[in-house]
Amino acid sequence: MIDIDDSISRLSGVGPSLMGKLKKLGLVTVRDLLYHFPTRYEDWSETVQISSLKPGDTKTIQATLQEINVKRAWRKRIFVVEALLADNSGSITAVWFNQTYIKNTLKPGVIANFSGKAALRKQNLYLSNPAYEIVGRKDESTVEYGEEQQIINTNTKHTARLVPIYPETRGLTSRGLRYLIQPTLDELEPPTDFMPQDILNDNDFPSLYEALREIHFPKSLEEAKRARSRFSFEELFLLQLRVLSDKLVLAKEKAHAIESTPKTLKEVFSHIPFKLTASQESSLDEILKDIAKDKPMNRLLQGDVGSGKTVIAGIAAYLAAERDLQVAFMAPTEILARQHYDTIKKFFPEFRRGLGLLLSKEDRIYYGDDLEAELKKTQFITEVAAGKIAILVGTHALIEKNVAFRDLGLVIIDEQHRFGVKQRAALMKISKDKVMPHFLSMSATPIPRTLMMTVFGDLDLSIINELPSGRKNIVSKVVAPENRDK
């Protein structure tokens, strides 16, 4: 028996050459192979007699190969393999291009399934490049062609069924993968199903072993859909378990409590030249309650472009800086980072604790009262490490090895899905102390709430669902290069 976690090299017929091709597809273990699911299926399940074929039909016939020849088409410089196939109802020619090896595989007298598309050429019907699968020989078979042709029933892989089509690589086709997957399923020790039985019952899902069989070699499209639904659910189920586990781990960490007094809030709002919308106020209230705790906040702030997410994040950053803590504000592009820097500078022009902009080729500090300076990279990083820059806005440059914060209290990331997991983790660990910073992610990407709770289950959710008064709608246009100056 084969275990699902065995190496593919244990499978019969898998040598160094085939192993190299499998690795190109990312397939190393038996589990990798069995989770290499079909992208679609060719429906060759209907087996008919030759006389009933019509142009355009994509069906299967079971016929005896009477003769086979290889010709060369001189104009196109290709080889053409032609085979004459017959059953009790009539005969038809099958044609393959540049597959001369077929003549050595199919010999006169074999009975095989041929699945493909029937086409017309000079008013003659033929099968174009059909898939084939040998099921016996006429002299070995008990088949007697009469009015009703008997079909030799076999456990077919490539014809007379829904045939799986897989992602392929050079030298390894779907046919080759089917040759490998079917015997593997036959020899597989049924793997332990981690999915609770009540979940399987409630959703009418097959067991893991049944689902693996049904997704690779389904008897019907409904069976394939049932198996695919189970694996889609499984992926999200495991993801939810992972994010909930992360949430429990995070709950045990310590964070700096960033409390805000009425006096501080009054001072903050004195700088904001407009009234916050109801959803902005609600989101800010949720964020302030979270950062006031000594447990790290882990929150996602979602709102359309122009809904005012940056001002909410800026207020949280200002309050953290007033508690003598540092803030890392990370954006995916230099343009967006510069926009956030300018927005915070605009709302808090008298901020004197150091507002920094760290880009790959530009480092500047704002000291308040329109005092701004550019520093060399080494001096800039020294200022950050000494805590003289309270709010640092930047791109990936924030997670360079030589950047370290004295007391990192809050991390803000815009469009966090644009960053990799390792990048986010690096940003969460670059404080010199061992206290975990609060985490606020912002996104303008609309994500349904149910999907949000599944994919980002470790994040609490705040939504800004209205635009500030007087804010113009965002208009997106395609501008031709010749009109760019306009």
Side-chain angles (χ1 to χ4, degrees), residues 2 9 35 127 145 170 173 180 183 235 289 334 404 409 460 469:
I2 297 169
S9 60
Y35 272 73
L127 280 180
Y145 291 152
R170 185 179 180 87
T173 64
L180 196 58
E235 188 172 347
K289 285 179 179 177
E334 292 194 357
D460 297 311
S469 177

Side-chain angles (χ1 to χ4, degrees), residues 323-342:
R323 298 283 296 179
D324 201 27
L325 296 170
Q326 291 174 287
V327 179
F329 198 141
M330 192 170 176
T333 66
E334 292 194 357
I335 292 175
L336 200 52
R338 194 174 282 108
Q339 284 179 356
H340 289 318
Y341 172 79
D342 290 338

Side-chain angles (χ1 to χ4, degrees), residues 131-147:
Y132 59 88
E133 194 162 13
I134 297 172
V135 296
R137 290 191 62 85
K138 190 167 183 181
D139 54 0
E140 297 171 355
S141 170
T142 58
V143 174
E144 292 291 337
Y145 291 152
E147 290 185 7

